Amino acid sequence: MKKTVLLNAAISQLIATMGHGDTVVIGDVGLPAPAGVPVIDLAVTRGVPDFMTVLQTVLSELQVEFHVVADELQTVSPALAAQVEALGLAGKRSVPHEDFKRQSARARALIRTGECTPYANIILGSGVVF
């Protein structure tokens, strides 16, 4: 059994196979999955699992070089925006939500949470550990 906090086999495999610059999206329950992007669906019910728990767990194993959020997160869901900001992630990029959805189409996968907070979505760009 794995001894790190990330136990989900599909997410572990995804992170293990990501290269420099590859991206993964962690999204709320309403974020549309772009055609051709695999979905790792964790949603069980409204709010379970929540966005921050999934994000923090992914961050325990993924080296992040940059991240992308929608501009709307700050104005519509400022409490969640503050939680994401407090993580101190590298290379913040903020784009309009429509651009965010277009960028999601290039992701290796979309991890769907049960989060119901508007704009609770992030794109994580893989960095290198050396």
Side-chain angles (χ1 to χ4, degrees):
M1 180 169 189
K2 285 187 67 160
K3 66 183 210 177
T4 61
V5 298
L6 178 57
L7 299 178
N8 183 281
I11 299 173
S12 291
Q13 180 180 19
L14 170 67
I15 292 171
T17 60
M18 287 181 71
H20 186 215
D22 285 346
T23 60
V24 60
V25 178
I26 301 174
D28 61 29
V29 75
L31 184 66
V37 175
V39 176
I40 301 172
D41 193 344
L42 304 179
V44 176
T45 189
R46 291 178 63 93
V48 178
D50 67 279
F51 174 80
M52 285 304 296
T53 298
V54 174
L55 175 57
Q56 290 170 319
T57 303
V58 167
L59 292 175
S60 74
E61 292 200 13
L62 179 65
Q63 180 68 36
V64 174
E65 183 172 288
F66 67 89
H67 70 287
V68 182
V69 295
D71 294 336
E72 294 86 347
L73 177 63
Q74 183 64 47
T75 55
V76 176
S77 301
L80 184 62
Q83 288 180 316
V84 171
E85 191 70 31
L87 295 172
L89 297 174
K92 180 180 179 180
R93 302 174 189 170
S94 185
V95 299
H97 187 59
E98 289 304 314
D99 289 347
F100 182 96
K101 290 192 289 188
R102 279 190 285 279
Q103 288 184 31
S104 295
R106 294 189 299 271
R108 292 275 313 277
L110 185 152
I111 301 169
R112 181 177 178 246
T113 69
E115 186 66 55
C116 292
T117 302
Y119 302 103
N121 309 297
I122 193 166
I123 298 171
L124 301 173
S126 180
V128 294
V129 294
F130 56 87

